[in-house]
Amino acid sequence: MPRPRPILATLAAAVLAIAAPPAAGQPLVPDPLPSWRDCGAKRALVDFVRRVTDEGSPELVPPAERVAVFDNDGTLWPECPVPFQAAFAVDRLRRRVEAEPALGRDPMVEALFAGDLPALLAGDHHDGLLHVVALTHAGETADDFRRGVEDWIATARHPRFDRPYDALVYVPMQEVVTLLRDRGFKIWIVSGGGADFMRAWAERVHGIPPEQVIGSTARPRFERRPDGPVLVKTLDHLFVDDKEGKPIAIHQFIGRRPIACFGNSDGDLAMLEYTTVGNPRPALGMIVHHTDAEREYAYDAHPPSTGRLVAALEEAPRRGWTVVDMRADWARIFAEGSPVGAASPRP
Amino acid sequence: MPRPRPILATLAAAVLAIAAPPAAGQPLVPDPLPSWRDCGAKRALVDFVRRVTDEGSPELVPPAERVAVFDNDGTLWPECPVPFQAAFAVDRLRRRVEAEPALGRDPMVEALFAGDLPALLAGDHHDGLLHVVALTHAGETADDFRRGVEDWIATARHPRFDRPYDALVYVPMQEVVTLLRDRGFKIWIVSGGGADFMRAWAERVHGIPPEQVIGSTARPRFERRPDGPVLVKTLDHLFVDDKEGKPIAIHQFIGRRPIACFGNSDGDLAMLEYTTVGNPRPALGMIVHHTDAEREYAYDAHPPSTGRLVAALEEAPRRGWTVVDMRADWARIFAEGSPVGAASPRP
């Protein structure tokens, strides 16, 4: 009869593996960030995570306060040639204009169909773009809208990469989300995009549940219908979750100051400041700088779409924010293969 | 040398205890609701929890969809003689009026000091009350406000029960919160009270983190100050989380339909409907009916304060909502002893 010791040892090891905190000073093995080259940005990330989560670290932050916020467009996936939600709006509008030709004479709808981005992006919060997005996002129930987004994202393809949009999330950023989550962080998306749009896929794609997706919103209308109450999307009380709106929304939705913030544009400046400046906790600010025209896009002061990055880039050295040089820091950007070479032109 | 088997058995039992789901059909032992008498309300609660969380139950609901929403005033603690936040506002106003006598001539401030509840409670959302609450809730930073609430709740005492306000949470409801949480539910407060007011104590008192506290809000202002950015409370874009506002806020904050809803007034009617009517999941609606003038208060159509309960009580049988008869269903209401007998008159 074999001695039970090996089983006991295995069980005990399993119990210990669950219970034991990672020892400070050891490298993170296996590497949780394999798509990051071993440069300054990756080291800053890993150092920060160790400082605030290693048992025994003098700067250990209690799990309840491990709040990480991520911008979406340009931070978790591309925002070119247009923000993906704008592509969704275009596809919806084309269908609606067939049924309601008058809609096609709206100046901003005309601009959209003509690809007149400057007209759409003018104004403090890209007012024209917001207008056409709103046109396609109001009047239906929240459930119907969600199904519409799910259908679209299952079928639409990105014009350059010829892949479904949700196949274009940045693998290095997904690794960061996973690392932080494994280290007890609660992960939030804080984006100018529509909350209802993002919630339709954020859980499936990023494992981020709807209650941790903060975006631009309008106040839906509660309606009692024969088969039960519904919420009908409206344009009332529009809240744009951009610039100063981001820390405001963070306060309203989360009620705690984040200790890690990831963005890529001046729209993220205020939440980067709110996260890192004067925070009694150690805090990380990180900016994804789009420097890779070959594999993705290269822009800062003059983006082809949204995502202007000037003020936040200037502030970065003074604030100690880490700037990710996409071309240098990311060994790969998208899942499976090199997107540019692999992408076949759209038929 | 003792044989290692007992250790192995202990370890294996521990592992199994962690892994094994509760067997369907067994009673919940130990009783998670000891402050509830074994009547219909308790049985409805336990039955519901078993239906949606017992492994093997045909109506098992995935953990991500186990969303429970609780009103606060009158549901988790009393709302008499005035909602506790109004008592906070009175105490603050008294101090402010000393410094700014003009404030004392505001008609609603006069009504407040005169105890003129009808004047304060008139209007769709108790407009006068909102006004004075707002007067004392704007102009300071969110951090300062939080400290003010913490100080107040540490020192103020309820006029009838002569205890700190946060010692008056209903023990039976805390047991429900704990039971649901232990069964994988995510617990939310959805209350007409101010979010910032409730967040100052909800985590300590109920274990509910700030991001799961939804309340009335105004949009704070982001200000850059020399020692870092702050959020200054304002009265802008006031959102009243009451009546139809509750399902609207649930959609905006949670993004999922709850499957359990606990309220006590017509202000909770819309969220009770949103939770239970036409929900493809099994859903529980529960109304705390204040029937115990001796141990707490007794009211419905004519409350001494907020908390009018007429329409929701009428709807309850048709909707299958469980009405808690506080006097009959709750073996005790507050922690430690009988509050009325034990309470010494305030000096």
Side-chain angles (χ1 to χ4, degrees):
Chain A
M1 186 183 158
R3 294 173 62 193
R5 217 170 254 292
I7 302 168
L8 173 65
T10 307
L11 259 174
V15 169
L16 284 172
I18 292 161
Q26 287 179 3
L28 297 174
V29 277
D31 180 4
L33 301 172
S35 301
W36 291 71
R37 296 205 183 93
D38 193 17
C39 307
K42 177 175 182 168
R43 289 183 195 173
L45 253 171
V46 171
D47 282 355
F48 170 75
V49 170
R50 311 217 57 157
R51 280 168 61 206
V52 298
T53 69
D54 271 0
E55 291 296 330
S57 162
E59 296 179 290
L60 186 70
V61 173
E65 295 181 35
R66 294 179 198 164
V67 172
V69 291
F70 289 78
D71 169 59
N72 183 48
D73 294 310
T75 299
L76 293 179
W77 71 8
E79 59 191 321
C80 297
V82 294
F84 295 179
Q85 191 172 357
F88 165 74
V90 170
D91 287 353
R92 295 211 116 186
L93 265 180
R94 280 195 208 289
R95 275 195 273 172
R96 272 191 54 188
V97 167
E98 283 171 25
E100 306 165 52
L103 199 62
R105 291 189 289 276
D106 180 300
M108 285 303 133
V109 173
E110 285 182 337
L112 186 75
F113 288 159
D116 182 359
L117 273 175
L120 289 167
L121 300 183
D124 234 24
H125 298 291
H126 311 315
D127 299 332
L129 187 62
L130 269 179
H131 172 73
V132 291
V133 166
L135 273 180
T136 58
H137 285 53
E140 61 186 335
T141 69
D143 286 344
D144 286 345
F145 178 79
R146 183 188 174 95
R147 278 186 286 272
V149 176
E150 287 170 348
D151 289 350
W152 178 81
I153 215 156
T155 52
R157 296 179 80 83
H158 188 278
R160 172 175 164 194
F161 298 118
D162 192 27
R163 296 192 193 182
Y165 286 96
D166 58 357
L168 295 174
V169 295
Y170 302 138
V171 173
M173 294 306 289
Q174 287 201 303
E175 292 170 358
V176 175
V177 167
T178 302
L179 167 62
L180 292 177
R181 190 186 288 125
D182 290 349
R183 289 297 192 121
F185 275 79
K186 200 159 177 176
I187 311 294
W188 299 76
I189 290 177
V190 180
S191 163
D196 289 337
F197 177 79
M198 296 186 287
R199 285 170 170 181
W201 44 261
E203 188 156 35
R204 178 176 52 77
V205 172
H206 294 294
I208 299 176
E211 63 266 31
Q212 286 157 233
V213 175
I214 302 171
S216 295
T217 52
R219 196 176 295 174
R221 187 174 63 244
F222 181 75
E223 266 186 32
R224 294 176 169 93
R225 293 187 178 175
D227 48 354
V230 294
L231 292 166
V232 179
K233 288 177 70 67
T234 77
L235 305 182
D236 301 340
H237 299 276
L238 190 67
F239 171 73
V240 180
D241 184 34
D242 192 34
K243 298 181 179 169
E244 283 71 15
K246 292 197 174 195
I248 290 169
I250 287 169
H251 176 71
Q252 293 194 307
F253 280 77
I254 309 179
R256 294 190 214 263
R257 216 160 158 177
I259 63 165
C261 175
F262 300 81
N264 78 300
S265 79
D266 290 347
D268 304 313
L269 177 59
M271 81 166 167
L272 282 160
E273 293 175 81
Y274 186 58
T275 302
T276 64
V277 182
N279 191 337
R281 296 292 189 189
L284 176 78
M286 189 164 260
I287 296 173
V288 174
H289 191 189
H290 292 261
T291 52
D292 196 329
E294 201 179 324
R295 293 186 300 171
E296 203 247 6
Y297 298 93
Y299 59 90
D300 41 43
H302 304 289
S305 166
T306 53
R308 186 166 192 268
L309 174 65
V310 176
L313 206 53
E314 272 173 19
E315 282 286 282
R318 186 159 83 92
R319 299 301 190 189
W321 299 334
T322 301
V323 177
V324 177
D325 178 341
M326 196 182 256
R327 194 158 69 97
D329 283 314
W330 287 0
R332 64 174 183 168
I333 294 181
F334 303 115
E336 31 163 336
S338 156
V340 171
S344 51
R346 208 173 175 183
Chain B
M1 185 185 159
R3 294 172 62 192
R5 217 170 253 292
I7 302 169
L8 173 63
T10 308
L11 259 174
V15 168
L16 284 172
I18 292 161
Q26 287 180 1
L28 296 176
V29 277
D31 180 4
L33 302 172
S35 301
W36 290 70
R37 294 206 184 93
D38 193 18
C39 308
K42 177 176 183 169
R43 289 182 196 173
L45 252 171
V46 170
D47 282 355
F48 170 75
V49 170
R50 312 217 55 155
R51 280 167 62 207
V52 298
T53 69
D54 270 1
E55 291 296 330
S57 162
E59 295 179 290
L60 186 70
V61 172
E65 295 180 36
R66 294 179 198 163
V67 172
V69 291
F70 289 78
D71 171 57
N72 183 48
D73 294 311
T75 300
L76 294 179
W77 70 10
E79 59 191 321
C80 297
V82 294
F84 295 178
Q85 191 172 356
F88 165 73
V90 170
D91 287 353
R92 294 212 117 186
L93 265 180
R94 280 195 208 288
R95 275 196 273 172
R96 273 190 54 187
V97 167
E98 285 172 25
E100 306 165 54
L103 200 62
R105 292 189 289 276
D106 179 302
M108 285 302 134
V109 174
E110 285 181 337
L112 187 74
F113 289 160
D116 182 358
L117 272 176
L120 290 167
L121 299 182
D124 235 23
H125 298 290
H126 311 313
D127 299 331
L129 187 62
L130 270 178
H131 172 74
V132 291
V133 166
L135 273 179
T136 57
H137 286 53
E140 61 186 334
T141 69
D143 287 343
D144 286 343
F145 178 79
R146 183 188 175 95
R147 276 186 286 273
V149 176
E150 287 169 348
D151 289 349
W152 178 80
I153 215 157
T155 52
R157 295 179 81 84
H158 189 277
R160 172 174 163 194
F161 298 117
D162 191 27
R163 296 192 192 183
Y165 286 96
D166 58 356
L168 295 174
V169 295
Y170 302 137
V171 173
M173 294 307 288
Q174 287 202 303
E175 292 171 358
V176 175
V177 167
T178 302
L179 167 62
L180 292 177
R181 189 187 288 125
D182 289 349
R183 289 298 191 120
F185 275 78
K186 200 160 177 175
I187 311 295
W188 299 74
I189 289 177
V190 180
S191 163
D196 289 337
F197 177 79
M198 296 187 286
R199 285 170 170 181
W201 45 260
E203 187 156 36
R204 178 177 53 77
V205 172
H206 295 293
I208 299 177
E211 63 266 31
Q212 286 157 232
V213 176
I214 302 172
S216 294
T217 53
R219 195 175 295 173
R221 187 174 64 245
F222 181 75
E223 267 186 31
R224 293 176 170 92
R225 293 187 179 176
D227 49 352
V230 293
L231 292 166
V232 179
K233 287 177 71 65
T234 76
L235 305 181
D236 301 339
H237 299 275
L238 190 67
F239 171 73
V240 179
D241 186 33
D242 191 34
K243 298 182 179 170
E244 283 72 15
K246 293 199 174 195
I248 289 169
I250 287 169
H251 176 71
Q252 293 195 309
F253 280 76
I254 309 179
R256 297 189 213 261
R257 215 160 158 176
I259 63 166
C261 176
F262 301 80
N264 77 300
S265 80
D266 290 348
D268 304 313
L269 177 59
M271 81 167 169
L272 282 161
E273 292 175 83
Y274 186 57
T275 301
T276 63
V277 182
N279 191 338
R281 296 289 188 193
L284 177 77
M286 189 163 261
I287 295 172
V288 175
H289 191 189
H290 292 261
T291 52
D292 196 330
E294 202 179 324
R295 294 186 299 170
E296 203 247 9
Y297 298 92
Y299 58 91
D300 41 43
H302 304 289
S305 166
T306 53
R308 186 167 192 268
L309 175 65
V310 176
L313 206 54
E314 273 174 19
E315 282 286 282
R318 186 159 82 92
R319 300 302 190 188
W321 299 334
T322 301
V323 177
V324 177
D325 178 341
M326 196 182 255
R327 194 158 69 97
D329 283 315
W330 287 1
R332 63 172 183 170
I333 295 182
F334 303 115
E336 32 165 333
S338 155
V340 171
S344 51
R346 207 173 175 181

